[in-house]
Amino acid sequence: MPANFTKERVRKIARIAESEGRKFDFILLKNATEPHLDLSFFFITGLEAGLFEGCALAAYPDGETRVYSSKLEEQSALKGGKRFHVTTFKDRNNLAGLLKKDLSDGGSLKIGINSNELTHKSFEDFKNIFPEAEFIDVSSAIVRARMIKDEHEIAAIRESAYIASRVFPKLLDNLKDGMTEYEAAAFLNSTMQSLGAQGPSFDTIVAFGENSAEPHYSPGSVKLKKGQFALFDYGAKYRRYCSDITRTVVYGKASKQQREVYNIVMEANQLGIEASKIGTKAGEVHKKVLKFIDATKYKGRFIHSTGHTIGLAVHDGAVIHPAFNGIIEENMVFTIEPGIYVPGFGGVRIEDDIVARKNKAEVLTTASKEFIEV
Amino acid sequence: MPANFTKERVRKIARIAESEGRKFDFILLKNATEPHLDLSFFFITGLEAGLFEGCALAAYPDGETRVYSSKLEEQSALKGGKRFHVTTFKDRNNLAGLLKKDLSDGGSLKIGINSNELTHKSFEDFKNIFPEAEFIDVSSAIVRARMIKDEHEIAAIRESAYIASRVFPKLLDNLKDGMTEYEAAAFLNSTMQSLGAQGPSFDTIVAFGENSAEPHYSPGSVKLKKGQFALFDYGAKYRRYCSDITRTVVYGKASKQQREVYNIVMEANQLGIEASKIGTKAGEVHKKVLKFIDATKYKGRFIHSTGHTIGLAVHDGAVIHPAFNGIIEENMVFTIEPGIYVPGFGGVRIEDDIVARKNKAEVLTTASKEFIEV
C-alpha cells in the first residue's frame, strides 16, 4: 500500500475531474445518518472502523485532506494517522462554523460535491454555509476513481471473496431436510463472520424451490425439500470491502431440466468471464451472455444485468450492461452473474467476482461451480 | 393492522405537512443505489422483501399511492396487493417518461420531496422531469409521521427486540477465554438470524477490555481475558424494523471500580426510562441523565446522547438530547442508553428500547440488566 493512499486517491479524483472539465478548489463530502453515508468518505480516508454520521471531509487537488469528526468518533478518526488532518466538532452548528472559517478563502469557491451519495438536505446546508460558492458535481470522477481499484483495495476484496468461498462447502455439509431459508442464511452469515468478516455485505438471499425464480427474493420460513433448487447469494464485508457470490445446487436428485438449466447458466458464466477483456465495452460482455442464453429455449428468462462493479458498495458504480457506456479497464472488479428464471419452476444463478487483468480475468471467488446434487 | 395502512400513513404525512404549511400535490420518492434507499418508501408501501434500487413512488394527500418498480422487483412489488398501484418500468429513461406522463397535470405542480433520504442527483433528475414544478421539502413531516409508530410497527419492533433479548443469555453461556470480539459478534448475528431476524440492524459492536471505552468501536481479533469488561451492542432487523440493545458484563471477577461504574450507569438507565413520560421534552430526559452522571466522579465521561428513536432506521429521526427540540409523544419508540467511558480502563453502556405509553414506558428489551460476572 502506498505510504499515503489518501493523497493518491484524492489526486486521482482530481485528475479525472479535471479531464472532465470539472476543476474544483476542494471536494466537500458529508455523511448524513446511517445508511446515508458517503462511501467515498471511507475510500478517501481508508478508515475501517466507525460510522461518522454527520461528519465531513474536505480534500484538495494536491491530496491534502481534512476530516471533521464528531467528538464521538474522534478515536476512530485518529486511526488515520498522518494520512489526513482531524478537526473535532461539538455539534452541527459548530461544524458549519468550522467549515466556513477553515475553507473560505474570501473569493468565489468552486466546491466539488458527490451528488450520488450526498443527501439533498446536506447540499442545502452547503449552500447556506457557502452562499457565494459554485458547486461542481464531481460524482462521475469519484465513481471512475473508485471503479479502478488499487492493489490495497483488491487485497481486501480478495480476502472478502475468499471468506465467502470457504463458507460454501461448509454450507453444503450442513444442508438438511426441513432446514428453513433463514436458518441457511444465518449459517452463511455466522460462518463468514467467524472467518473474519465484519458482517454480510448485503442481506443474504437463500431461495428454495420455485422461490429461486425471484432474483431479489428475501429468505423466509420455507423448508428445504428433496429435488429442489437451493440458491445462495451472499457476500462478506472485509475492511469495508464487499464480495458477492451466488451458487445454486440441487438438494437431492436433479431432474433433467434442472441439469439442463444449470449447464446453460454455467456456460454463460464462463463466457462472461472470458469476454471480460480489457478494452471491451461492458455492454458487449452483456450482449454476448444474453445472446447465448436467448439462443436456447430459455430465451427471455435472463432478466437482469450480467454484472456490476463491487468495492466499498456491493453495487459500486457501474453495471456490465449497455446502460453503462464504458469499457472494461485494468483492475476493475466486478461480478459476472448470469441467471435463468422460470416462474413456477425455479431459477439458477452463478455469480463470480473477477478482476480485469492484462492477460485474463482473475477470478476471486474460488468456490466450486460444478453441478452439485447434495 | 388497518385494512390499508399505506393510505393511513400517507394521509398522516399529508396532515402533518399541511399543519407545517407545506401542502403538496403529491410526494415523489426515489431510491438510488443501496445503501442510498429512502426508508420512507418502505414505510409507505410496507414491502418487506426487495431492494427497489432506482424505483420511485408517488403518493397523493388522499392516500392514493403509485409504485414505479423495475422489472427486476416486480414480483416483490406486487406483494403490496391492493394497498397501491404498481407500474413497471424498463430503464431510467422509461421511468422518467412514465413519471412525466402519469403525474403532470398541465399546471404548476407542488411536489413534496424527502430531502433527508433523497440524493442530490435524484433531486436534479426530478427537476429535469418536472422543470415547472415547485419542490416542497416535506422531510420534517415524514420524520414526524415515522416517529410515532402505529401498533403494526410496534409489533415488529417488539419482536425484533425480543429476538435480540433472547440471544443475550445464550451469548453468556458461550463466552470463553480467548474468544475474539468478532467470534462473539458472529455468534450474536447468527443466533439472531436463527431466531427469525432478517439480519443484524447495524454492524454489531463487541468490545473487550479498554476497547469498551470507545462507543462506536468495531470488533477485531482481540481476545477475551479474565477481569475485562465485555460490551455487546447489537440489534435485529425483523420485517425491516430495528432493535438496538447494549449489555455490558464483566468476564470473571469484577473489580470494585467496575462494579461502581456499572451501578452508576444502571441507575442512569432507570432514571432515563422513568423520565421518559409523555409530554416531557426529549432534551430534559437527557439533561436529567447527564446531571446524574456528572454528579459522580465520572463527570464528563458520558459523551453521547441519552438515546435515539428507532424504527425502519436504527437512528430513526430524533435524538433524546437537547439537539431535538421535541417532546416525548405517545407511541414514540426510542433507546435509553447512558454510558460511562474511561480511556485506558473501559466503558459501560446499558441500552434499552422503549415505547412511550400513557402511564409508563413499555420496555421492549427484556434481557437481564443485573450486574453479571460471567
Side-chain angles (χ1 to χ4, degrees):
Chain A
M1 122 171 75
N4 188 338
F5 64 79
T6 289
K7 194 166 270 187
E8 293 305 318
R9 291 176 187 177
V10 171
R11 285 178 177 171
K12 185 169 156 193
I13 295 169
R15 264 196 318 272
I16 299 171
E18 192 171 341
S19 77
E20 293 177 345
R22 293 170 182 266
K23 274 187 84 159
F24 54 81
D25 292 315
F26 58 85
I27 298 172
L28 188 58
L29 303 182
K30 192 171 174 216
N31 292 325
T33 304
E34 228 267 327
H36 300 283
L37 307 179
D38 189 333
L39 295 175
S40 308
F41 178 95
F42 300 100
F43 171 65
I44 291 175
T45 60
L47 289 170
E48 292 175 12
L51 273 184
F52 296 97
E53 288 181 326
C55 300
L57 173 158
Y60 289 82
D62 68 358
E64 191 203 321
T65 298
R66 302 175 185 199
V67 168
Y68 293 85
S69 169
S70 61
K71 189 78 191 139
L72 182 65
E73 307 272 10
E74 188 179 19
Q75 291 309 309
S76 302
L78 290 172
K79 291 188 177 152
K82 291 183 176 172
R83 291 203 304 274
F84 45 80
H85 184 261
V86 176
T87 303
T88 306
F89 64 85
K90 277 185 300 225
D91 57 29
R92 216 177 132 94
N93 286 337
N94 181 222
L95 171 61
L98 286 169
L99 292 176
K100 196 177 180 76
K101 184 171 132 289
D102 286 4
L103 306 178
S104 297
D105 70 350
S108 60
L109 292 170
K110 287 189 174 194
I111 302 180
I113 58 164
N114 181 20
S115 71
N116 281 342
E117 301 189 87
L118 183 71
T119 65
H120 184 58
K121 175 88 104 214
S122 294
F123 177 72
E124 293 289 339
D125 290 346
F126 287 177
K127 283 206 300 191
N128 288 330
I129 299 171
F130 302 104
E132 314 287 319
E134 182 188 345
F135 292 94
I136 317 268
D137 185 4
V138 297
S139 57
S140 74
I142 290 176
V143 165
R144 283 184 53 79
R146 281 174 45 183
M147 199 178 301
I148 314 302
K149 267 68 180 177
D150 60 36
E151 289 300 330
H152 178 60
E153 293 182 283
I154 292 173
I157 303 173
R158 185 184 289 112
E159 179 62 24
S160 176
Y162 184 54
I163 290 170
S165 300
R166 280 187 289 160
V167 167
F168 182 61
K170 295 180 200 284
L171 171 75
L172 298 183
D173 286 347
N174 280 275
L175 287 184
K176 52 178 183 280
D177 270 329
M179 184 180 209
T180 64
E181 290 167 338
Y182 65 66
E183 281 166 355
F187 179 87
L188 288 168
N189 293 357
S190 95
T191 312
M192 286 194 288
Q193 269 200 298
S194 66
L195 293 173
Q198 283 177 291
S201 57
F202 56 92
D203 283 350
T204 292
I205 297 172
V206 174
F208 295 157
E210 53 184 80
N211 296 334
S212 56
E214 200 179 308
H216 275 185
Y217 180 75
S218 290
S221 53
V222 172
K223 289 176 176 173
L224 186 57
K225 285 193 300 234
K226 284 278 189 308
Q228 285 185 323
F229 275 133
L231 182 152
F232 308 96
D233 184 352
Y234 63 100
K237 229 188 321 178
Y238 180 77
R239 289 203 200 139
R240 291 195 193 271
Y241 281 82
C242 301
S243 57
D244 184 359
I245 184 174
T246 307
R247 291 293 184 262
T248 311
V249 301
V250 173
Y251 184 65
K253 189 82 191 138
S255 71
K256 208 176 137 188
Q257 196 187 357
Q258 284 173 327
R259 192 178 291 266
E260 177 186 74
V261 172
Y262 192 91
N263 288 339
I264 295 169
V265 176
M266 181 65 191
E267 259 194 82
N269 166 285
Q270 283 164 331
L271 193 68
I273 294 170
E274 281 157 26
S276 298
K277 290 193 191 309
I278 292 169
T280 308
K281 281 185 115 178
E284 289 303 316
V285 175
H286 176 73
K287 282 184 197 162
K288 264 193 195 171
V289 172
L290 181 64
K291 197 177 156 193
F292 174 77
I293 292 175
D294 276 356
T296 71
K297 67 176 169 197
Y298 298 99
K299 182 173 159 66
R301 299 300 186 185
F302 175 36
I303 55 176
H304 53 70
S305 313
T306 292
H308 52 84
T309 51
I310 55 173
L312 288 161
V314 70
H315 293 167
D316 203 40
V319 281
I320 308 303
H321 184 272
F324 168 57
N325 188 27
I327 59 165
I328 308 290
E329 294 181 66
E330 190 175 358
N331 295 342
M332 258 177 75
V333 185
F334 51 97
T335 67
I336 292 290
E337 49 174 312
I340 288 177
Y341 308 96
V342 184
F345 168 70
V348 171
R349 182 167 59 254
I350 306 174
E351 176 182 33
D352 286 308
D353 300 340
I354 70 175
V355 190
R357 299 288 199 187
K358 278 215 175 80
N359 293 312
K360 62 175 200 166
E362 176 188 351
V363 180
L364 301 179
T365 35
T366 55
S368 170
K369 293 189 280 187
E370 293 302 301
F371 181 71
I372 297 172
E373 293 170 305
V374 182
Chain B
M1 126 170 71
N4 188 338
F5 63 79
T6 290
K7 194 165 268 189
E8 294 304 317
R9 290 175 188 177
V10 172
R11 285 177 176 172
K12 184 170 155 193
I13 295 169
R15 265 197 316 272
I16 299 171
E18 190 169 344
S19 77
E20 293 177 346
R22 292 169 182 267
K23 274 186 84 157
F24 53 82
D25 293 316
F26 58 84
I27 298 171
L28 188 57
L29 303 182
K30 191 169 175 220
N31 292 324
T33 304
E34 227 265 326
H36 300 282
L37 307 179
D38 189 333
L39 296 176
S40 309
F41 179 95
F42 301 100
F43 171 65
I44 290 175
T45 60
L47 289 170
E48 293 175 12
L51 273 183
F52 295 96
E53 288 180 327
C55 300
L57 174 158
Y60 289 81
D62 68 359
E64 191 202 323
T65 298
R66 301 175 186 200
V67 168
Y68 293 85
S69 170
S70 61
K71 189 77 191 141
L72 183 65
E73 308 272 10
E74 188 180 17
Q75 289 310 309
S76 303
L78 291 172
K79 291 188 176 151
K82 292 184 174 169
R83 291 202 303 274
F84 46 80
H85 185 261
V86 176
T87 304
T88 306
F89 64 85
K90 277 185 299 226
D91 58 27
R92 217 177 131 95
N93 286 336
N94 182 221
L95 171 62
L98 286 169
L99 292 176
K100 196 177 180 76
K101 185 172 131 288
D102 287 4
L103 306 177
S104 298
D105 69 351
S108 60
L109 292 169
K110 288 189 174 194
I111 302 180
I113 58 164
N114 181 20
S115 71
N116 281 342
E117 300 188 86
L118 182 71
T119 65
H120 184 59
K121 176 89 103 214
S122 294
F123 176 73
E124 294 288 341
D125 289 346
F126 287 178
K127 282 206 301 192
N128 288 330
I129 299 170
F130 302 104
E132 315 286 318
E134 182 187 347
F135 292 95
I136 317 268
D137 184 5
V138 296
S139 57
S140 74
I142 290 176
V143 165
R144 282 185 53 79
R146 281 173 46 181
M147 198 178 303
I148 314 302
K149 268 69 180 176
D150 59 37
E151 290 300 330
H152 178 60
E153 293 182 283
I154 292 173
I157 304 173
R158 186 184 290 112
E159 179 61 24
S160 176
Y162 184 53
I163 290 170
S165 300
R166 280 186 290 160
V167 167
F168 182 60
K170 295 181 200 287
L171 170 75
L172 298 183
D173 286 346
N174 280 276
L175 287 184
K176 53 177 182 280
D177 271 329
M179 183 180 210
T180 64
E181 291 167 338
Y182 65 64
E183 282 166 354
F187 179 87
L188 288 168
N189 294 356
S190 95
T191 312
M192 285 194 288
Q193 269 201 297
S194 66
L195 293 173
Q198 281 178 291
S201 56
F202 57 92
D203 284 350
T204 292
I205 298 172
V206 173
F208 294 158
E210 54 185 79
N211 297 334
S212 57
E214 202 179 307
H216 275 185
Y217 179 76
S218 290
S221 54
V222 172
K223 290 178 175 174
L224 186 58
K225 284 193 301 234
K226 284 277 188 313
Q228 284 185 324
F229 275 132
L231 183 152
F232 308 95
D233 185 352
Y234 63 100
K237 228 187 324 176
Y238 179 78
R239 290 201 198 142
R240 291 197 193 269
Y241 281 81
C242 300
S243 57
D244 184 0
I245 184 173
T246 308
R247 291 293 184 265
T248 312
V249 301
V250 173
Y251 185 65
K253 189 82 192 141
S255 70
K256 207 174 138 189
Q257 197 187 358
Q258 284 173 326
R259 192 178 290 268
E260 176 185 75
V261 172
Y262 192 92
N263 288 339
I264 294 168
V265 176
M266 181 66 191
E267 259 193 82
N269 167 286
Q270 283 165 331
L271 193 68
I273 295 171
E274 281 158 25
S276 297
K277 288 191 192 311
I278 292 168
T280 308
K281 280 186 117 178
E284 288 305 316
V285 175
H286 177 72
K287 281 185 198 162
K288 263 193 192 169
V289 171
L290 181 64
K291 195 176 157 194
F292 173 77
I293 292 175
D294 276 355
T296 70
K297 68 178 169 194
Y298 299 99
K299 183 174 159 67
R301 299 301 187 184
F302 175 35
I303 55 175
H304 53 70
S305 313
T306 292
H308 53 84
T309 50
I310 55 173
L312 288 161
V314 71
H315 293 166
D316 202 40
V319 282
I320 308 301
H321 184 274
F324 168 58
N325 188 27
I327 59 166
I328 307 291
E329 294 183 64
E330 190 173 358
N331 296 342
M332 258 177 76
V333 184
F334 51 96
T335 68
I336 292 291
E337 50 174 311
I340 287 177
Y341 307 95
V342 183
F345 168 71
V348 171
R349 180 166 62 254
I350 306 174
E351 176 182 34
D352 286 308
D353 300 341
I354 71 175
V355 191
R357 298 289 199 185
K358 279 219 174 76
N359 293 312
K360 62 176 199 166
E362 176 187 351
V363 179
L364 302 178
T365 35
T366 55
S368 170
K369 294 189 278 188
E370 293 303 302
F371 181 70
I372 296 173
E373 292 170 306
V374 182

